[in-house]
Amino acid sequence: MKSLFLTGFMGSGKTTIGKQLAEKLSLPVIDTDEFIENQLNKTIREIFETEGEKKFREYEKHFLKLVPTENTIVTTGGGIILAEENRAWMREKGYVIYLHCEPDEIIRRLKDDQTRPLLDGDKENNIRTIFSQRLPLYNEADLKIDTMNKNPDEIVEEIEQLIKTLE
Ligand SMILES: Nc1ncnc2c1ncn2[C@@H]1O[C@H](COP(=O)(O)OP(=O)(O)OP(=O)(O)O)[C@@H](O)[C@H]1O
Ligand SMILES: O=C(O)C1=C[C@@H](O)[C@@H](O)[C@H](O)C1
Ligand SMILES: [Mg+2]
């Protein structure tokens, strides 16, 4: 099977869902943010602070291409879809699954989180603005899962059913 690329806004549950889905399907999971952090031995926040977002996006493009494109669950950074090149790559090499979560819920989930540099400052406003800019790009996915009012088990079950239609 081609790899599954989980996309979605920060806090939509990509890392959480990806881990559970991988366990259920007995597949390996790789998280692009963790992959970049491990390869560069720096946190995402450190990369943003010392090298800037533009450089981070270059790393993201580079490391995305090193991820296995078969039999792997790939959980992606929230901004991976910004580059047309990344969207095209993921759709060509695998299946793209967008986890949709409304901004109000994202705001609740990330209320105490300090690890996402793009949300520094007026977090609520930043979430709403970035979300609306990106929504059309997330919607280019092969599959869209509405995660609102569902627990991770329910979302994983739904993905399992939907991916059967892909093969
Ligand atoms: N379906 C859900 N219901 C309630 N809470 C959830 C759900 N999915 C994830 N969460 C919680 O939301 C928070 C963010 O989830 P997670 O880190 O998986 O998001 P992410 O999409 O990987 O974010 P990022 O793009 O920033 O890496 C976590 O605290 C997680 O426990
Ligand atoms: O949505 C984004 O642009 C980001 C999401 C995170 O996963 C990290 O990749 C980083 O904080 C940027
Ligand atoms: Mg994540």
Side-chain angles (χ1 to χ4, degrees):
M1 185 183 73
K2 284 180 171 182
S3 291
L4 303 178
F5 292 89
L6 301 192
T7 63
F9 201 81
M10 291 169 262
S12 59
K14 301 177 296 292
T15 302
T16 310
I17 303 302
K19 279 189 184 142
Q20 286 196 25
L21 182 67
E23 207 165 296
K24 255 190 124 176
L25 299 177
S26 300
L27 292 176
V29 61
I30 178 163
D31 186 89
T32 59
D33 284 338
E34 283 175 21
F35 186 40
I36 295 168
E37 288 183 331
N38 293 337
Q39 293 295 312
L40 302 179
N41 201 21
K42 273 178 159 185
T43 64
I44 300 288
R45 175 170 287 285
E46 282 165 354
I47 300 168
F48 268 74
E49 281 170 4
T50 60
E51 304 185 69
E53 178 176 355
K54 190 156 175 268
K55 189 73 190 170
F56 173 74
R57 298 298 174 202
E58 283 171 27
Y59 290 136
E60 202 169 41
K61 248 183 227 165
H62 173 79
F63 288 110
L64 176 63
K65 310 243 166 53
L66 303 183
V67 161
T69 53
E70 292 283 336
N71 299 314
T72 304
I73 308 295
V74 185
T75 61
T76 59
I80 204 126
I81 44 73
L82 289 173
E84 151 71 28
E85 187 179 322
N86 293 345
R87 301 198 299 280
W89 173 270
M90 294 189 293
R91 291 197 64 186
E92 185 194 324
K93 303 291 176 185
Y95 297 112
V96 181
I97 303 180
Y98 165 48
L99 302 183
H100 178 78
C101 184
E102 294 290 331
D104 285 341
E105 172 66 10
I106 289 166
I107 289 162
R108 279 193 288 274
R109 288 190 196 169
L110 299 185
K111 169 166 64 57
D112 301 317
D113 178 272
Q114 304 299 338
T115 66
R116 280 104 170 153
L118 289 179
L119 304 182
D120 287 352
D122 185 347
K123 189 184 275 180
E124 179 167 342
N125 189 46
N126 293 343
I127 289 173
R128 292 192 196 287
T129 307
I130 303 172
F131 183 89
S132 59
Q133 288 166 346
R134 290 183 182 174
L135 189 58
L137 305 180
Y138 290 128
N139 275 327
E140 288 183 21
D142 295 302
L143 291 177
K144 174 175 167 176
I145 315 281
D146 187 355
T147 71
M148 291 296 290
N149 306 310
K150 292 175 192 160
N151 64 41
D153 286 347
E154 291 170 310
I155 297 164
V156 168
E157 175 66 29
E158 196 173 325
I159 296 175
E160 269 190 283
Q161 295 308 320
L162 278 172
I163 57 179
K164 289 183 187 156
T165 66
L166 291 173
E167 288 154 345

